Amino acid sequence: MQLLSVVLYNAKGETRLVEFHPGRLNIVTGESRTGKGALLTIVDYCLGRKSIQVPEGPITDTVAWYATLWQLEDGQVFIARPAPAPGKASSQQAMLEFGNELQPPALQDLVINTDAATLRTQIGRRIGIEENITGPGTRGRAPLEATLAHAVLLCLQSQNEISSATTLFHRQGERGIADALRDTIPYFLGAVPQDQAIKRAQLRGAKQALQRAESALQAAEFAAQTIDVELRALYGEARAVGLVSEDEITDRLSLVRVLQGARVAPPPEQRRPVIDDIAQQDRYVALERRALTVRSELARVMDDRALLLAHRSEESDYGDALQLQVGRLASLGLIEAASDSGPGAAPACPACGQETDHADPTPTALRSSLTRLQSQLENLAEARPSQRSALIALDGQAASLRDELASTEAALSALRTANRVTDLAAADGRDFTRGRIDAILSRVDSTDDTELQRLRASVENSAATVSALEAELDDDEDREQLTSRLLLVGQDMTAYADRLELEHSEGSVRLDLARLTVVTDTERGPIRLERIGSAANWIGYHLATHLALHRYLTRQNRPVPRFLILDQPTQAHYPSEMSLQSGVPEDDTDRGAVLRMFKLLYDVVQELSPDLQIIVCDHANLPEPWFHNSVVHNWRNGIKLIPGEWLS
């Protein structure tokens, strides 16, 4: 996996393309503040880092998308990441496209189709990072899977990291990164077998199975010793709470059969609460009878009241009819005629009032009917006061009966509530005993000899599986494999340190994986990197270490990207502004050190070409032909990563 180009998109859709050559030394030289150092950060972000660490300024003000194009062993991959939203420092969104002869798409064609974690997983599989699990470290760290994120830590050296006396790898000072490097470098070096992850997972499963089998056997053996005593005690408990009869049973089979029946048998139904106290029981029965009597009396009163209301309604309708007839007769003036005519008066016409020879029988009959109707109306009026009195009396009687019924039912409820506490306690006791029956009967089957033999065989088989897997996963063998590989890396580190003429390189130089630092073995004893003075030495040992690691990883075809990006490796040799502008150190000593540094980088790439790519972002601009041929971008005279027209 090698870098072909870095592509920046602004909001207008304009692009800035920075191209690189695979399998070569690529030098990006230029003045300060031209954006050289941002290339490493952009690559890190495009390879799945959540946040982009470019300084606030022209880049963050203008770039909408960051993208990179990579050459893989079997094709190409285009990776694009949108800039974090305003006010945000990170983003998980990404675009991922695999293919051949890919070209950076236009801004409108960039689509988010994955996230950072999936991006790393897919690319990691493409470069050969297989499923793996590193074993927990000596300090009890959890198992860790090596991914592309860990491999990238071996491929980047920022300006501050390459000159550090205490930090050897990218992001080593961040929380958890140092432990991740210690756990994953053995895998990337090949000291961990490819199938070790599967075997370690099998070993964890076998140990868990062994623990379960041992626990089951131990429980079964203990139960076999105590099961008869527990069954007899449980039977006595079931008898005490009324779940079984009073018969005495001693043999195991009968006990199990009876207890199984007690476990599912429903409790006896009780219509009336059982009251042990005689006085309370008498009072309860008396209250029940009185409540029944009161309910009967209340029903009778309510029936009488309903009958009275119905009779009153019928009388009201009859009175209304009589009153209607009286009104009709009065409208004809018959009432007045009847009142003015005396016993000796001559008969007169009821219509015109003239005297007649014979009296008309119709008016007489009408007057008789009217008299009768008036008498009936008077009788109805006299009856209404007595009806109202009766209705009031019935309402009072019903209210009194309701009050008495309420007090009687309250007394019954109090007696039932007081007695229910005892009933509930007994029910809870039965439920608790049923639960114990379930628990103990579930262990009965595991106490026979056949089951015990099966459990012992299961323990033996699980123990044999654990032993076999532990023999295949020999920690001593793993340490020996890692030590052998680190010795080979140390040989190259020693040779490179000697070419760079670093201090304390006369003995051997090695990588201390436990401390993640460089150690030089001298006649006075081992010297760690932080005890070696001068930034030039720190940078030199960083270069020696990473070149040696990548030489080993490349030659052994290990699953690590085949690129190394170095930012400002010559910073210790450009003390003046004039040197920075020209790219040539003024002092001959500094110039010699810079020349040795770049010649070593050039020679390592040439040796491993086309399988390794080194990208250097630096001020150096040496006149040597091989150096000049390695320069891919010279950002001087106003040329920068962000075009000037983007800023306007």
Side-chain angles (χ1 to χ4, degrees):
M1 180 179 184
Q2 298 184 13
L3 183 62
L4 296 178
S5 62
V6 171
V7 190
L8 306 181
Y9 296 81
N10 67 9
K12 297 180 180 180
E14 299 171 324
T15 60
R16 173 70 160 100
L17 181 64
V18 182
E19 295 183 310
F20 298 94
H21 302 299
R24 287 178 48 185
L25 173 63
N26 293 254
I27 300 174
V28 180
T29 183
E31 301 170 353
S32 299
R33 298 185 295 276
T34 56
K36 302 184 302 296
L39 293 173
L40 182 147
T41 302
I42 293 170
V43 169
D44 197 8
Y45 181 61
C46 287
L47 289 178
R49 187 171 182 178
K50 295 179 181 178
S51 60
I52 183 165
Q53 303 297 314
V54 296
E56 293 289 333
I59 299 177
T60 57
D61 292 342
T62 60
V63 178
W65 281 73
Y66 302 88
T68 50
L69 180 62
W70 300 86
Q71 181 66 50
L72 303 178
E73 185 175 352
D74 56 350
Q76 295 178 346
V77 58
F78 177 79
I79 305 170
R81 301 283 306 278
K88 303 292 184 180
S90 62
S91 172
Q92 295 278 7
Q93 298 175 326
M95 173 184 175
L96 185 63
E97 180 181 357
F98 292 97
N100 295 298
E101 303 298 329
L102 296 176
Q103 295 296 325
L107 177 64
Q108 61 269 21
D109 296 328
L110 298 178
V111 293
I112 296 171
N113 58 13
T114 187
D115 56 36
T118 305
L119 180 153
R120 285 176 164 174
T121 300
Q122 292 195 29
I123 296 179
R125 295 292 183 261
R126 291 294 184 106
I127 67 173
I129 299 179
E130 302 172 341
E131 181 181 356
N132 64 89
I133 294 292
T134 63
T138 57
R139 287 175 287 177
R141 296 191 300 275
L144 179 69
E145 181 176 3
T147 66
L148 179 67
H150 305 110
V152 171
L153 300 176
L154 308 179
C155 301
L156 303 175
Q157 284 281 283
S158 69
Q159 180 177 355
N160 294 330
E161 293 165 345
I162 199 171
S163 60
S164 173
T166 57
T167 300
L168 186 60
F169 294 97
H170 183 51
R171 301 175 60 191
Q172 179 179 329
E174 298 180 20
R175 181 179 179 181
I177 298 297
D179 288 339
L181 286 165
R182 294 186 186 95
D183 290 342
T184 57
I185 286 178
Y187 168 77
F188 290 123
L189 288 175
V192 178
Q194 292 184 355
D195 61 347
Q196 188 181 71
I198 299 176
K199 290 184 178 179
R200 288 194 180 279
Q202 292 174 345
L203 178 60
R204 287 193 298 273
K207 287 183 175 180
Q208 293 172 357
L210 177 59
Q211 291 176 352
R212 290 193 297 269
E214 290 176 340
S215 298
L217 177 60
Q218 183 179 4
E221 290 176 341
F222 179 78
Q225 299 172 0
T226 62
I227 192 65
D228 290 328
V229 176
E230 288 184 280
L231 287 175
R232 286 193 293 270
L234 186 61
Y235 179 73
E237 183 178 335
R239 289 173 60 187
V241 297
L243 288 177
V244 298
S245 64
E246 297 295 328
D247 298 334
E248 187 67 31
I249 303 175
T250 57
D251 64 287
R252 180 189 293 187
L253 293 179
S254 299
L255 285 171
V256 170
R257 183 177 62 256
V258 172
L259 289 174
Q260 285 176 340
R263 180 177 54 181
V264 298
E269 295 185 1
Q270 298 176 352
R271 297 179 179 272
R272 175 180 291 180
V274 178
I275 302 176
D276 297 332
D277 187 83
I278 295 176
Q280 287 187 358
Q281 190 178 51
D282 291 343
R283 176 170 170 74
Y284 188 87
V285 172
L287 288 172
E288 277 190 328
R289 290 176 179 173
R290 181 55 188 162
L292 182 62
T293 301
V294 172
R295 289 192 190 96
S296 177
E297 292 178 359
L298 180 59
R300 180 186 58 76
V301 169
M302 296 306 295
D303 289 342
D304 291 345
R305 186 177 185 276
L307 182 61
L308 180 59
L309 289 175
H311 184 63
R312 184 178 181 183
S313 176
E314 292 174 358
E315 285 183 349
S316 177
D317 294 341
Y318 181 63
D320 291 342
L322 292 178
Q323 189 65 41
L324 178 62
Q325 296 300 324
V326 171
R328 288 174 179 173
L329 294 175
S331 66
L332 297 175
L334 296 179
I335 296 176
E336 289 76 11
S339 60
D340 292 341
S341 300
C349 177
C352 62
Q354 294 181 358
E355 295 181 1
T356 60
D357 295 335
H358 302 284
D360 191 345
T362 302
T364 302
L366 290 173
R367 279 193 294 271
S368 176
S369 296
L370 178 60
T371 301
R372 187 174 63 255
L373 291 174
Q374 288 175 334
S375 175
Q376 292 177 358
L377 285 172
E378 291 173 358
N379 293 334
L380 288 175
E382 291 174 357
R384 285 194 180 96
S386 61
Q387 290 176 350
R388 282 195 295 271
S389 298
L391 187 61
I392 292 173
L394 288 174
D395 288 341
Q397 189 177 0
S400 177
L401 290 172
R402 288 193 188 94
D403 292 340
E404 184 179 358
L405 180 61
S407 62
T408 303
E409 289 181 341
L412 285 170
S413 178
L415 286 174
R416 283 194 294 265
T417 300
N419 199 64
R420 190 179 295 119
V421 175
T422 304
D423 292 342
L424 291 176
D428 290 342
R430 288 191 294 271
D431 291 340
F432 177 76
T433 301
R434 283 194 179 93
R436 283 176 42 77
I437 291 174
D438 281 332
I440 293 177
L441 290 183
S442 66
R443 303 202 307 266
V444 171
D445 293 337
S446 63
T447 57
D448 58 28
D449 294 338
T450 302
E451 179 64 15
L452 289 175
Q453 291 178 359
R454 188 191 68 79
L455 291 174
R456 292 189 183 100
S458 176
V459 170
E460 293 175 358
N461 293 335
S462 298
T465 301
V466 169
S467 299
L469 289 171
E470 286 179 340
E472 296 179 10
L473 296 171
D474 187 357
D475 291 338
D476 293 337
E477 175 66 19
D478 291 346
R479 282 191 292 270
E480 186 175 351
Q481 291 291 335
L482 178 60
T483 300
S484 174
R485 285 158 174 77
L486 290 177
L487 285 175
L488 294 177
V489 172
Q491 292 176 3
D492 287 338
M493 292 173 62
T494 303
Y496 295 156
D498 183 62
R499 283 192 57 176
L500 295 174
E501 300 180 7
L502 304 178
E503 294 181 12
H504 305 292
S505 62
E506 61 275 5
S508 63
V509 182
R510 55 186 170 88
L511 172 61
D512 185 345
L513 192 58
R515 296 184 176 89
L516 293 179
T517 190
V518 175
V519 177
T520 63
D521 295 311
T522 67
E523 293 180 353
R524 291 170 293 177
I527 303 176
R528 293 196 294 270
L529 183 62
E530 63 266 24
R531 294 178 53 205
I532 300 175
S534 173
N537 286 314
W538 299 335
I539 294 172
Y541 279 113
H542 274 254
L543 291 177
T545 301
H546 286 279
L547 289 175
L549 274 174
H550 275 274
R551 183 174 187 270
Y552 181 87
L553 296 171
T554 301
R555 288 164 59 91
Q556 299 300 319
N557 196 29
R558 298 304 301 159
V560 176
R562 299 286 189 264
F563 73 91
L564 175 63
I565 300 181
L566 307 171
D567 186 23
Q568 305 295 341
T570 67
Q571 58 187 282
H573 304 285
Y574 284 85
S576 68
E577 186 65 25
M578 183 64 68
S579 298
L580 293 176
Q581 293 178 358
S582 65
V584 180
E586 297 177 351
D587 185 84
D588 289 341
T589 303
D590 289 329
R591 187 182 185 281
V594 171
L595 182 60
R596 288 193 296 273
M597 183 184 302
F598 276 98
K599 191 63 170 67
L600 175 61
L601 296 173
Y602 180 81
D603 289 345
V604 171
V605 170
Q606 290 296 110
E607 176 195 3
L608 301 175
S609 180
D611 295 327
L612 181 63
Q613 177 192 48
I614 296 179
I615 299 173
V616 182
C617 303
D618 201 89
H619 300 290
N621 190 19
L622 304 179
E624 278 72 10
W626 59 265
F627 186 96
H628 180 73
N629 292 334
S630 300
V631 174
V632 291
H633 299 286
N634 191 341
W635 290 350
R636 288 181 170 84
N637 302 319
I639 302 176
K640 299 182 179 181
L641 176 62
I642 301 299
E645 54 269 21
W646 284 21
L647 302 177
S648 60

